[in-house]
Amino acid sequence: MNKDEFINELKKLGISLTQSELNSFETYKNLLQEYNKKFNLTTIIEDESIYLKHFYDSLCLMKVVELKTAKTILDIGTGAGFPGIPLAIINKDKKITLVESNGKKVSFLTFLKEKLNLNNVEIYNSRAEDFAKAHREEYDIATSRAVSHLKIITELEFPTIKVKGLFLPLKSNIEKELEVTKEFIKELDGSLEETITYTLPYENSKRTILKIRKLQETNHLYPRDYSKISKELKNLR
Ligand code: SAM
């Protein structure tokens, strides 16, 4: 997907980029490529792949209408900023919080935030399990792309969401993970409202966004100690 195709595909999602936003995406791409020579931030590094698999893919979250009215969005395990930074570039009125445990990635994000003048972004160099204990019931929406098993990220992100807020995990193959997570979502007083499945343009790979509503305050038992969560992760794989 080249830059023009990116602009056109976003129009189909109802997003019209301003010239300044487009410049920000271009700068982001250049800095990602430059930093990636020194630090291993991402394996997706060609121009066209960055536009498609990082920028466009992240912005597909805008398919969820509630995103338009949300004021606070949390992205856990953001890596080099996906989906959080693309969302921040086109939603300057929203506060976007990024959580990442890898210090080198956090250094890149901090540099990027300054270069792109993203005053709506805040960055935490933290593990999700610690962050979740300290930031309960704070966010309108929590998301993450390609971080861990769905059951694990559900446990780590659910406590951070406000009651009536949404959890929007974004993944490529989610069916099997959803099967083993369905009951747990109910246990956490969540309700799976929608499974949004689509294919990425040009290469047709499948993507899914789950729309999970939080109905009640999360029991303080969650998130459990990471030793317990990681033990479970071994059995899930
Ligand atoms: N979301 C980004 C994307 O889609 O390109 C990055 C995905 S990468 C596969 C997973 C990221 O999650 C890594 O950068 C890793 O350091 C981070 N991560 C994994 N477990 C984490 C945890 N418990 N707390 C915070 N970050 C975590």
Side-chain angles (χ1 to χ4, degrees):
M1 173 183 273
N2 62 32
K3 199 161 67 172
D4 289 336
E5 290 165 340
F6 175 59
I7 295 168
N8 288 332
E9 289 297 330
L10 286 185
K11 278 193 185 140
K12 293 183 196 165
L13 291 181
I15 302 166
S16 295
L17 293 181
T18 62
Q19 189 56 50
S20 146
E21 289 165 349
L22 195 56
N23 293 345
S24 292
F25 280 109
E26 180 129 36
T27 306
Y28 188 2
K29 173 185 73 63
N30 292 339
L31 292 175
L32 188 61
Q33 289 168 330
E34 198 182 310
Y35 255 69
N36 216 56
K37 288 179 194 152
K38 287 180 268 173
F39 310 111
N40 192 16
L41 299 175
T42 173
T43 51
I44 297 167
I45 211 60
E46 300 303 323
D47 283 18
E48 299 212 347
S49 306
I50 291 177
Y51 276 108
L52 177 64
K53 294 185 187 172
H54 279 327
F55 298 164
Y56 178 82
D57 191 32
S58 296
L59 293 178
C60 279
L61 275 173
M62 297 300 290
K63 287 175 188 279
V64 179
V65 288
E66 283 88 345
L67 233 129
K68 295 188 180 80
T69 49
K71 291 194 168 57
T72 50
I73 300 175
L74 171 68
D75 174 17
I76 278 188
T78 189
F82 306 109
I85 297 274
L87 289 175
I89 291 173
I90 69 158
N91 290 288
K92 296 274 170 29
D93 57 327
K94 304 185 195 310
K95 188 176 90 179
I96 312 283
T97 302
L98 310 176
V99 176
E100 171 55 52
S101 58
N102 178 310
K104 283 181 187 150
K105 291 179 180 172
V106 169
S107 302
F108 171 70
L109 294 168
T110 307
F111 176 71
L112 188 67
K113 171 184 154 123
E114 203 184 301
K115 284 279 172 197
L116 301 185
N117 223 350
L118 292 172
N119 299 322
N120 56 335
V121 167
E122 56 178 20
I123 304 163
Y124 287 85
N125 187 183
S126 173
R127 289 202 58 87
E129 48 279 18
D130 300 329
F131 183 88
K133 282 183 187 142
H135 297 264
R136 304 186 75 87
E137 262 74 46
E138 265 187 33
Y139 296 91
D140 294 326
I141 286 178
T143 184
S144 76
R145 186 182 80 156
V147 174
S148 186
H149 191 285
L150 177 64
K151 189 159 190 249
I152 305 295
I153 54 167
T154 301
E155 176 159 356
L156 295 177
E157 295 204 57
F158 235 68
T160 67
I161 306 167
K162 287 181 189 166
V163 175
K164 303 231 164 70
L166 285 176
F167 176 41
L168 303 176
L170 172 57
K171 282 212 164 212
S172 39
N173 287 310
I174 212 161
E175 287 85 359
K176 265 170 114 179
E177 293 188 14
L178 183 56
E179 253 339 283
V180 292
T181 310
K182 267 185 176 160
E183 280 308 308
F184 186 58
I185 292 170
K186 286 188 200 151
E187 216 176 295
L188 288 182
D189 296 306
S191 163
L192 175 61
E193 290 188 349
E194 206 180 339
T195 302
I196 305 165
T197 301
Y198 54 95
T199 51
L200 281 185
Y202 302 100
E203 54 125 62
N204 292 328
S205 60
K206 197 176 146 200
R207 292 284 187 279
T208 303
I209 299 169
L210 299 179
K211 185 172 154 186
I212 302 168
R213 180 85 56 189
K214 171 158 160 173
L215 304 174
Q216 307 270 355
E217 211 173 289
T218 307
N219 190 316
H220 278 251
L221 285 173
Y222 301 107
R224 292 166 297 160
D225 282 347
Y226 198 68
S227 56
K228 286 196 181 129
I229 299 177
S230 61
K231 206 166 150 194
E232 188 169 351
L233 183 59
K234 283 183 200 136
N235 299 329
L236 288 168
R237 284 197 165 132

